[in-house]
Every structure is written in structure tokens, then in C-alpha cells.
């Protein structure tokens, strides 16, 4: 019996959601291992990832934008930044002509710890990516952007409730 496109789409939807959930869970396990080894809280990890991604995209976060990104109050964000700065994971910079504007950058000590921990993962992920053509990777990138956007949209809806 031939599988209809609708049935195959439903099967793929279930399989992909399951795989995304499994990937997310495994990534969290690795993140928690990094956090535990470096005496960090889960919130610290979320903050460091947000700072790293923003910096990588050329738009470093301000403390206010970091708080919005991870759902913390202004006071809690300040305490978090203070703790991460003290540990060498973050640094505050003033890069604007307006000296009141503070940007957050990944600290050198924090980057060294992250590189030492995560570098051994790279050969594993590179081996997987080598199995795909550029066109296939572009499709995966488009898919993951869409799924991430959907999660962010839903997260923002939840925060408004």
C-alpha cells in the first residue's frame, strides 16, 4: 500500500519533533556538565549562550536585553552579570559614544573554559555534517531557523500571559 503524502508528512512531523526533543535534552545534559564542572547555574549557561550568540552576530547585548532574552528582572540580571564577571566569564564594555551604554562580551577566561570543554565535541559534529551536501545543510539551517523562531514566538506569548 502506498503511503500518502499526508501520512508521510505526519510521520515526519512526529519523528522530527521527537528528534528535536531528544537533541535538546542531550544538549542540556552537556550544558549541565559544563556548568557543574565550572560551578555555574543553569541561568548562567543561558546567559553565556545569549551573550555568545549576540556577540557572534555582531550585536552584543546590553544588560537590559540580556534580562529580556532570559526572562530575568533588572535586579536579578545585575546579580547574574556581577557573578559571571567576577568569575571571568563575562566582561562589561563601553563601546558607544554614550558612556552610559554597557555591552556584554564573553570574558577571555570563560571562553578558554568553554573551548577546552566543547572542542572535543567538534570532531563528532563535523563527522555528521560531512555526510550532507551544502544544499541539504541549507535546508536544515532553514528548518532550524523556523523551528527556533516558532519557539521564541511561543516563549514570548507565555511571558505575556
Amino acid at each position: 500500500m502506498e503511503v500518502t503524502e499526508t501520512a508521510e508528512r505526519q510521520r515526519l512531523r512526529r519523528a522530527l519533533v521527537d528528534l528535536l526533543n531528544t537533541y535538546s535534552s542531550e544538549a542540556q545534559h552537556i550544558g549541565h556538565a559544563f556548568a557543574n564542572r565550572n560551578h555555574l547555574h543553569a541561568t548562567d549557561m543561558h546567559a553565556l549562550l545569549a551573550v555568545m550568540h549576540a556577540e557572534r552576530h555582531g550585536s552584543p547585548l546590553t544588560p537590559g536585553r540580556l534580562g529580556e532574552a532570559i526572562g530575568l528582572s533588572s535586579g536579578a540580571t545585575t546579580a547574574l552579570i556581577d557573578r559571571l564577571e567576577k568569575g571571568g566569564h563575562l566582561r562589561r564594555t563601553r563601546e558607544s559614544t554614550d558612556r552610559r551604554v554597557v555591552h556584554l562580551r564573553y570574558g577571555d577566561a570563560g571562553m578558554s573554559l568553554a573551548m577546552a570543554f566543547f572542542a572535543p565535541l567538534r570532531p563528532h559534529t563535523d563527522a555528521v555534517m560531512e555526510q550532507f551536501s551544502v544544499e541539504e545543510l541549507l535546508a536544515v539551517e532553514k528548518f532550524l531557523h523556523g523551528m527556533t523562531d516558532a519557539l521564541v514566538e511561543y516563549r514570548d506569548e507565555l511571558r505575556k500571559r
Side-chain angles (χ1 to χ4, degrees):
M1 178 175 169
E2 185 177 313
V3 177
T4 67
E5 185 176 331
T6 302
E8 180 63 1
R9 180 172 286 279
Q10 289 173 348
R11 183 198 69 76
L12 282 168
R13 184 200 176 284
R14 285 190 304 272
L16 289 170
V17 168
D18 286 348
L19 287 167
L20 286 170
N21 286 333
T22 301
Y23 179 88
S24 175
S25 178
E26 294 302 326
Q28 285 181 29
H29 287 302
I30 291 171
H32 289 304
F34 174 78
N36 288 335
R37 286 188 184 183
N38 294 288
H39 312 290
L40 299 171
H41 303 281
T43 305
D44 298 348
M45 281 297 302
H46 289 291
L48 290 172
L49 285 171
V51 168
M52 181 185 67
H53 288 186
E55 193 170 344
R56 186 179 291 163
H57 289 94
S59 56
L61 294 177
T62 62
R65 285 185 35 223
L66 174 62
E68 289 172 14
I70 61 175
L72 292 179
S73 69
S74 175
T77 301
T78 299
L80 169 73
I81 293 167
D82 289 345
R83 183 173 63 246
L84 291 173
E85 187 176 45
K86 183 179 178 184
H89 298 284
L90 284 185
R91 57 188 170 85
R92 291 175 170 104
T93 64
R94 287 181 170 73
E95 304 165 17
S96 171
T97 55
D98 183 348
R99 300 295 292 162
R100 296 171 295 176
V101 177
V102 173
H103 288 101
L104 302 171
R105 298 283 186 173
Y106 222 100
D108 291 337
M111 184 58 76
S112 294
L113 288 173
M115 293 301 293
F117 183 86
F118 290 103
L121 175 60
R122 186 171 183 164
H124 300 281
T125 59
D126 284 351
V128 172
M129 287 192 206
E130 287 299 319
Q131 298 173 36
F132 295 86
S133 69
V134 169
E135 293 79 19
E136 290 171 321
L137 290 172
L138 287 168
V140 171
E141 179 185 39
K142 179 180 176 183
F143 173 78
L144 290 174
H145 273 297
M147 294 302 281
T148 300
D149 291 346
L151 286 175
V152 168
E153 185 178 325
Y154 184 59
R155 179 203 66 200
D156 291 346
E157 288 173 16
L158 291 173
R159 286 182 180 169
K160 290 177 184 174
R161 293 181 190 171

